Amino acid sequence: MLLGRVPGVAVLLAPAGAVAGVDVRGAPVGTRELDLLDPSTLDRDVHALVLDDGGLSPADGVVRWLAERGHGFPVGARPFEVVPIVPAAAALGLPGGDGYAACEAAS
């Protein structure tokens, strides 16, 4: 697993996939794909988790970064035919950071 941070966004990368869960307490400004963390879903692996300050657009950059590298749920026969599973939560309602840059900064 790798952790990447830039102002306004933090990304936990698990390109090979990892099992994750969530417990939401309070009211996040927004969420994305948190329902996929339910144990009854088709695929139990996530490829990244995103926490950001603003809207959920940083997750789009994370999805793009993972897909460019062939990491994700396979949807076709070729290696690049994948859909990365990237749950996200926006916590503060402020302008979010760049998810792609956070992935590039991951170590």
Side-chain angles (χ1 to χ4, degrees), residues 49-72:
L49 295 172
V50 178
L51 298 174
D52 70 89
D53 287 346
L56 298 172
S57 61
D60 293 337
V62 175
V63 168
R64 184 168 51 99
W65 188 88
L66 287 163
E68 286 175 359
R69 289 154 181 81
H71 301 297

Side-chain angles (χ1 to χ4, degrees), residues 3-107:
L3 177 63
R5 294 184 347 180
V6 296
V9 64
V11 177
L12 180 64
L13 294 171
V19 176
V22 66
D23 180 18
V24 178
R25 295 176 185 219
V29 173
T31 63
R32 170 185 170 145
E33 299 182 2
L34 289 186
D35 291 341
L36 295 176
L37 299 178
D38 186 310
S40 67
T41 59
L42 172 66
D43 184 29
R44 292 188 179 187
D45 288 341
V46 299
H47 303 98
L49 295 172
V50 178
L51 298 174
D52 70 89
D53 287 346
L56 298 172
S57 61
D60 293 337
V62 175
V63 168
R64 184 168 51 99
W65 188 88
L66 287 163
E68 286 175 359
R69 289 154 181 81
H71 301 297
F73 183 78
V75 293
R78 294 179 270 196
F80 63 86
E81 296 176 326
V82 296
V83 175
I85 307 299
V86 181
L92 300 176
L94 303 171
D98 182 352
Y100 196 95
C103 291
E104 290 288 309
S107 61

